[in-house]
Amino acid sequence: KVTSSLFVDGWRLPNKRLDTGTIASRIANASLRSSGVNLFSWRRAVEVDDECIATLCNNLSLEKLYLGYENCSTLTSAVVDVILRSPTAQSLSFACIMDLPAIAPGDVLRLARGCPRLTSLDYSLDPVDSDDESVEVGASGLSVADQSHIADLFDLLESRCREANIPPRFQIKLLV
């Protein structure tokens, strides 16, 4: 079976809670060739963790990856290394990372640097708490380091889009 995109919300997931390894293995071993996995739709069915992402990214060369919201709350920043060590790192051209506090701008920059085909990105983040005196915060509510990572990320993606002769397709949203 070949699909242009694998959106798990089309699958009938049981009402009972399955472990992520089981679900990810079923998807990866279902002889599907998929260009994308949308994990937003897993909200009520399963909590997605780093192991689940590893199973998917190691068994499917994904072009698109959607991560975010409640079902991905246990993801850690190590998930970036998981993706970078997988075949997906060479095929990923679009990533959507929404409302995941563990994935900081520096992590997204590492992901972009390690995924040479990545030209399209949607990323949302919460500004740091300005009451934290140990972090130097700019006017945007982001730390100076995060601002620098975002500027480098924009430069990298803009350069890739220019080289590929495609319009820029990325956005970073601050959640307030």
Side-chain angles (χ1 to χ4, degrees), residues 100-132:
L100 294 175
I103 313 296
D107 299 316
V108 178
L109 178 59
R110 275 189 317 112
L111 179 69
R113 285 179 174 157
C115 297
R117 294 189 63 226
L118 186 67
T119 55
S120 186
L121 173 72
D122 283 338
Y123 174 53
S124 71
L125 70 155
D126 283 318
V128 295
D129 182 355
S130 59
D131 294 335
D132 185 353

Side-chain angles (χ1 to χ4, degrees), residues 49-122:
D49 58 15
D50 293 356
E51 177 188 346
C52 177
I53 300 301
T55 301
L56 292 169
C57 290
N58 284 322
N59 290 289
L60 300 169
S61 291
L62 300 173
E63 295 174 12
K64 299 175 184 174
L65 185 59
Y66 301 78
L67 301 171
Y69 303 112
E70 309 88 44
N71 67 318
C72 293
S73 64
T74 62
L75 287 179
T76 69
S77 61
V79 76
V80 171
D81 295 316
V82 164
I83 296 167
L84 293 177
R85 287 190 305 264
S86 75
T88 291
Q90 297 307 308
S91 59
L92 193 65
S93 61
F94 172 81
C96 182
I97 303 167
M98 302 301 253
D99 196 21
L100 294 175
I103 313 296
D107 299 316
V108 178
L109 178 59
R110 275 189 317 112
L111 179 69
R113 285 179 174 157
C115 297
R117 294 189 63 226
L118 186 67
T119 55
S120 186
L121 173 72
D122 283 338

Side-chain angles (χ1 to χ4, degrees), residues 2 16-17 20-21 31 37 39 46 63 65 78 80 97 100 107 109 119 126-127 129 141-142 144 176:
V2 177
K16 65 180 183 175
R17 206 160 180 72
T20 56
S31 298
V37 173
L39 299 176
V46 68
E63 295 174 12
L65 185 59
V80 171
I97 303 167
L100 294 175
D107 299 316
L109 178 59
T119 55
D126 283 318
D129 182 355
L142 293 174
V144 172
V176 287

